Every structure is written in structure tokens, then in C-alpha cells.
Amino acid sequence: MKHSYPQYIDYPQQETALSLWRGGDLVVIPTETVYGLGADAHNGEAVAKIYALKSRPSFNPLIAHVASATIAQRYGVWNDWAETLSRFWPGPLTLVLRHAGGISDLARAGGETVALRVPNHPATLALLQAFNGPIAAPSANQSGRISPTTPQHVREEFGAACPLIIEGGACEIGLESTVVDISGDAPVLLRAGAITREMLEKALGQPLAQSLATQGELKSPGMLASHYAPQKPLRLHATHAEAGEGLLAFGHAPHAEVIEQLSEHKNLNEAAANLFAALRRLDANPKLQRIACMPIPATGIGEAINDRLSRAAARKE
Ligand code: TXA
Ligand code: MG
């Protein structure tokens, strides 16, 4: 799929966005992964508005977005792993480091670490450069719901309360960034994403440690089992759709009343980019009661796709 992001934002809009951030308000920014709900990460009161608008539990910390690795070093305690992995920046990778100072307690949910990322989107990079500081930005959706990959998704999430949106086209990757914790004794994969486990292990020259969440401790609250969820029940590993089910297809699809094709030719990157928009359409279709999803291989970015699908399928309390 060819993507043509708007390469710049017009000057008046950039000035408006910067003055909103400087005044402690929210601006929605495009990134290559998903749209983010951004506020000045220095400013606890501004960050509080993010939690309020998303109804996000305040124990779930936010990613601080910066324009470069050099700027990231102001906020996170740098180490060799950071040096190695920051070569993926700008890109869909978030590094959790020990906090060096400057990021509000609320953005870190009171923790001693900070999550940092340099997003790869021309309009947002220009804006971050001009802001010259950290922007805390979770995905621009109601807490627990599907992340937005278009400006229209963001408007659907927030309605009349929607802040200014910097329109940056459909997100190229369509899944949230990979999150790696390098603040401890060994690098740990906290969230799978487009920078795959294989890519990270190759760059680091060592295997990633098992995530603490799978050992029973909740290190990254975004790893809560039920997350990224549509309202309708989702059935995984489906070979066909039953009555009332919409089919999320990957490759040749059996007959179904409603089919959303993730990738006809079984291209995992294409499937990742289409996933959230397809889930939203099936969720919104009044003819359907449930969603069935065909199996998707768990290799490469397929690990991240399967991770999001299993969270979307996990039933809430
Ligand atoms: O692609 C992305 O990462 C998008 C775009 C907007 O950059 N942002 C995003 O943010 O997905 P959010 O808040 O929806 O997810 C951030 C994840 C959560 O799982 C959170 O728990 C984890 O990162 N996280 C943030 N700070 C952390 C920290 N200090 N330690 C461990 N996990 C952290
Ligand atoms: Mg999110």
C-alpha cells in the first residue's frame, strides 16, 4: 500500500497547536502507528486532561513523544541498549528508561521509569521540533477501546469534546508501537509491535526476557487482558462465519454475510494497517451481533496482530 502523508502542516495550524500545548490544552497528533492525544508532558494539569477525556485509569502511564534521541536523553537515563535501539527512531518503538527528570509524575503514573518515543510522521516531527519538549500522548481513543488510525475514528471517539486534530492521513502501520523496557537488568518486551521481537533480538544480540506480565506481575497496564476491544464479541481462529457474524478475513475468505478483508494476499503489514478500521466497521454494522476472525500467523508483525486480537477477544468483567 502506498502512503502519502501530508508532508507539512500549514503555519497557522502549527501555531494554534503550539499555543494550545503551551496553554496546557490537548491536540490530537498523527503518527505512523495510531493517532495520539497529546499534551505537554511537563505539565501535570495538562496531562490530567488526557486521563479525564479518555477515562483512563491514572495508574496507566503515558508515552512521552520527542523529536529526537538527543532530546530523549534529557528525560531518560541512557544506556547501551538505548543507544542500540534508538537506531529504530524515528519509528514505532517505545523505550522504557529510568526517569532522568522533567516528565510529570502523572504522565509516569508516579513510577520511576519513563516511556519515550520518536514517532515517524513528518507533520508531528515538525510540531515536536517546534515545541522543543516532550508531548505525552496515549492513543486517541476512550480507554480500553480500539485505537484510531484515521481522524474520523478520533472524532467518533470524542464527539463534541474532540480537541483540535492535526490531520495526517491514515496511519501507515496501524498498530501501536512496540514497547521495550530497558530500565532493568535485561531488556523486556512489554508490547509487541511493528518492530518485531526478531528485529530487537538481532539488534541487541541477545534474547528478550520474558515479560513480567506473563510472570504474573503487571508491569505495563496496557497489557491488561481486555484492551483494544470492540463492543461485539470476537471469535478467533474461525474457519467460517456463523449467522450474525461478520468475518475478519485473512487470505481467501469463505462465504459470509459481511466480510472485511485484512489482506487478500496474506501480507501481514497490510493486515496490520487495516485491522483497527476493519474492526470498527464490523463493530458499527447493525446487521451483525458478533465478529469472527480467521487465523493469522504469529510471525514478525503477526505477533502484534495476534496480541491485539486476543485482547479484543478477551471478555470484560
Ligand atoms: O504507538 C503508540 O505507542 C501510540 C502513539 C500515539 O505513539 N501510543 C500509545 O500509547 O499506544 P498508549 O498510552 O495507548 O500505550 C502506551 C503503553 C501502555 O501499555 C502503557 O502501560 C505503557 O505503554 N507504558 C507507558 N509508560 C510506561 C512505563 N513507564 N513503564 C511501562 N510501561 C509503560
Ligand atoms: Mg492505547
Side-chain angles (χ1 to χ4, degrees):
M1 230 185 342
K2 275 265 176 304
H3 270 269
S4 51
Y5 289 137
Q7 289 299 303
Y8 59 90
I9 42 178
D10 61 275
Y11 185 74
Q13 198 182 37
Q14 170 148 331
E15 286 308 297
T16 307
L18 292 174
S19 69
L20 284 167
W21 276 342
R22 288 183 186 126
D25 277 314
L26 306 179
V27 178
V28 174
I29 48 171
T31 83
E32 79 282 34
T33 59
V34 300
Y35 275 75
L37 180 62
D40 181 355
H42 286 301
N43 179 343
E45 279 177 46
V47 172
K49 293 181 185 171
I50 297 179
Y51 285 93
L53 185 59
K54 280 183 63 100
S55 311
R56 181 175 176 113
S58 51
F59 57 77
N60 191 359
L62 306 175
I63 298 169
H65 296 69
V66 291
S68 68
T70 311
I71 297 176
Q73 290 175 37
R74 292 183 202 157
Y75 307 108
V77 178
W78 214 240
N79 59 28
D80 288 347
W81 294 320
E83 191 61 33
T84 301
L85 295 182
S86 62
R87 287 181 211 141
F88 290 105
W89 285 347
L93 177 65
T94 295
L95 298 179
V96 174
L97 299 171
R98 292 193 67 75
H99 180 225
I103 304 295
S104 68
D105 283 346
L106 193 54
R108 293 180 289 106
E112 287 172 2
T113 58
V114 62
L116 290 158
R117 172 163 115 84
V118 181
N120 190 16
H121 190 291
T124 292
L125 277 176
L127 205 51
L128 289 171
Q129 237 140 27
F131 185 68
N132 190 29
I135 291 295
S139 49
N141 52 274
Q142 295 293 338
S143 185
R145 299 290 321 281
I146 304 166
S147 294
T149 56
T150 67
Q152 183 54 29
H153 294 164
V154 180
R155 285 188 283 269
E156 286 163 18
E157 288 293 318
F158 300 126
C162 193
L164 171 69
I165 302 176
I166 305 296
E167 305 240 353
C171 300
E172 183 174 2
I173 289 170
L175 290 181
E176 305 82 357
S177 63
T178 305
V179 181
V180 184
D181 185 348
I182 48 171
S183 67
D185 298 336
V188 183
L189 182 63
L190 295 182
R191 182 171 73 183
I195 304 297
T196 63
R197 177 189 295 277
E198 295 91 321
M199 290 159 81
L200 295 165
E201 291 184 342
K202 187 161 178 239
L204 291 166
Q206 69 180 97
L208 289 163
Q210 195 191 11
S211 125
L212 291 173
T214 59
Q215 293 168 20
E217 193 182 321
L218 196 62
K219 180 83 191 217
S220 194
M223 299 184 75
L224 290 169
S226 170
H227 215 79
Y228 312 102
Q231 262 139 11
K232 289 176 185 157
L234 172 65
R235 184 166 68 84
L236 300 179
H237 312 295
T239 51
H240 67 282
E242 288 169 9
E245 282 184 338
L247 186 68
L248 209 47
F250 183 72
H252 178 73
H255 174 78
E257 198 184 341
V258 179
I259 297 176
E260 282 286 346
Q261 181 57 263
L262 292 176
S263 175
E264 186 82 56
H265 300 291
K266 298 194 170 190
N267 176 316
L268 287 170
N269 290 326
E270 184 183 26
N274 288 331
L275 178 65
F276 289 155
L279 268 177
R280 276 174 187 271
R281 283 190 296 267
L282 292 174
D283 211 20
N285 188 328
K287 287 194 294 194
L288 304 171
Q289 282 84 55
R290 291 179 308 280
I291 303 169
C293 183
M294 289 171 66
I296 296 175
T299 52
I301 195 175
E303 180 180 0
I305 297 174
N306 279 286
D307 168 77
R308 302 309 187 277
L309 283 170
S310 58
R311 288 170 210 280
R315 298 303 295 158
K316 276 168 275 198
E317 303 286 295

